Amino acid sequence: MKKNWPLWEVFVRSKNGLEHRHFGSLHAADTEMAIQNARDVYTRRNEGVSIWVVESKHISASNPEESGELFEPAKDKVYRHPTFYNLPDEVKHM
Amino acid sequence: MSEEQIKNLEAEFEARIARDEKIEPKDWMPEKYRKTHIRQISQHAHSEIVGMLPEGNWITRAPSLRRKVALLAKVQDEAGHGLYLYSACETLGISREELYEQLHTGKAKYSSIFNYPTVTWADIGAIGWLVDGAAIINQVPLCNTSFGPYARAMVRVCKEESFHQRQGFEIMIKLAEGSPEQKEMAQDALNRWWWPSLMMFGPTDAESVHTEQSMKWKLKRKTNDELRQQFIDQTVPQAELIGLTVPDPDLKWNEEKGGYDFGAIDWDEFWQVVKGHGPCNKERMNARVGAWERGAWVREAAMTYAEKQENRKVSKAV
Ligand SMILES: [Fe+2]
Ligand SMILES: [Fe+2]
Ligand SMILES: [Fe+2]
């Protein structure tokens, strides 16, 4: 019986105050090894202060073929932006 | 899907790339795009991994601790580059297992430069200076390639490469200003690595297939000959600066074209090495496959341990 090490996604916080960002992926047998490998592969030059790993199979992604339904409705809602509203020039600080 | 529909999708796909949009793994893509990218990215990953072997040969014999930590860090970077690239390749729907299989059975290629031996310490200098130097010229344009995961991997790789080249050139400087024997050693390394480095840019434009398609998909921005010329023009003055001679009697500055003219490349040698008859092809694959096989029990043990831990957690919860 041969089982391959599963795939993990790696998220790194580059410094406190910033969010964790997706850095890439790697293979590891378990969580502990995934974090250690992530350290070696993605933070060899002080790129991070914190690492998250999650097995790739636990991530659900939206389907690019449904991008239209998902994201297009936001395009015509200009009233969600401040520039939609007309104010006289004399109004300050708004 | 009908042929008509596929044609439309393809046209829209090409238009997206032409508009400089990136293609991401789950997007629709022509089968040929997927295959070409799997081939190129995996070849690139294999090159990074096999490239560790000739340099690894000198880690334990580095002449000082400073040189040793630098070489160790450089070789570790190459492992990292291999891993970024394998991950990028896997997003196209091929497994790591299959990729290794292709390398180990010889179905996939890696850069021929790594089939030359590293016989003296100066070879480590020459590799960093020339081989990483040539790799940088090949790789920088790929930071803007059309496939998102490949482009992102290349940005990381390129950031790390410049230290590789500088540590190599520093080795060459030191040898070139050392004893006559040391300078001779540096010259000998340059003599042996110069021509194989020029071959790293691939066959001449006249001989090169796929260039047009690769340009469209931004796998290439300049032709092999243009990149080779760029490498020669920037490297020759570096050699002169440290008093070494580029081993090409026909090398001559051409004022009119604003670049060097250079002698004929021995393409027979190139094709011999590509076909597996280079000085170290067998040795490299034996080392690689051997390491993979000797590590099998470690990989299996780690997996078994992980499963046991997982089961223990589950049974505790119950
Ligand atoms: Fe590299
Ligand atoms: Fe490299
Ligand atoms: Fe490198």
Side-chain angles (χ1 to χ4, degrees), chain B residues 204-217:
Chain B
T204 56
D205 296 347
E207 301 282 313
S208 170
V209 274
H210 322 298
T211 297
E212 203 187 326
Q213 183 65 268
S214 301
M215 292 269 184
K216 258 197 200 152
W217 289 343

Side-chain angles (χ1 to χ4, degrees), chain B residues 112-113 115-117 191-200 264-281:
Chain B
S112 277
I113 193 81
N115 290 316
Y116 290 86
N191 293 348
R192 283 179 292 107
W193 290 93
W194 176 256
W195 293 102
S197 298
L198 297 191
M199 296 176 197
M200 282 178 71
I265 293 173
D266 181 357
W267 292 110
D268 284 342
E269 173 181 326
F270 175 77
W271 289 114
Q272 281 303 310
V273 183
V274 170
K275 287 185 185 129
H277 310 302
C280 301
N281 297 56

Side-chain angles (χ1 to χ4, degrees), chain B residues 187-253:
Chain B
Q187 182 61 52
D188 169 64
L190 172 58
N191 293 348
R192 283 179 292 107
W193 290 93
W194 176 256
W195 293 102
S197 298
L198 297 191
M199 296 176 197
M200 282 178 71
F201 299 95
T204 56
D205 296 347
E207 301 282 313
S208 170
V209 274
H210 322 298
T211 297
E212 203 187 326
Q213 183 65 268
S214 301
M215 292 269 184
K216 258 197 200 152
W217 289 343
K218 299 179 184 171
L219 282 168
K220 249 185 194 163
R221 300 241 136 159
K222 289 183 184 171
T223 69
N224 295 354
D225 287 335
E226 286 169 335
L227 294 170
R228 191 166 11 245
Q229 185 71 51
Q230 184 185 335
F231 175 77
I232 293 169
D233 293 346
Q234 75 181 44
T235 310
V236 172
Q238 294 166 352
E240 282 169 358
L241 192 73
I242 57 173
L244 296 181
T245 310
V246 171
D248 178 356
D250 297 323
L251 191 75
K252 218 174 99 216
W253 178 254

Side-chain angles (χ1 to χ4, degrees), chain B residues 48 78 81 132 135 139 161:
Chain B
E48 302 282 356
E78 305 301 2
H81 298 175
D132 287 83
Q139 289 170 348
E161 286 292 351

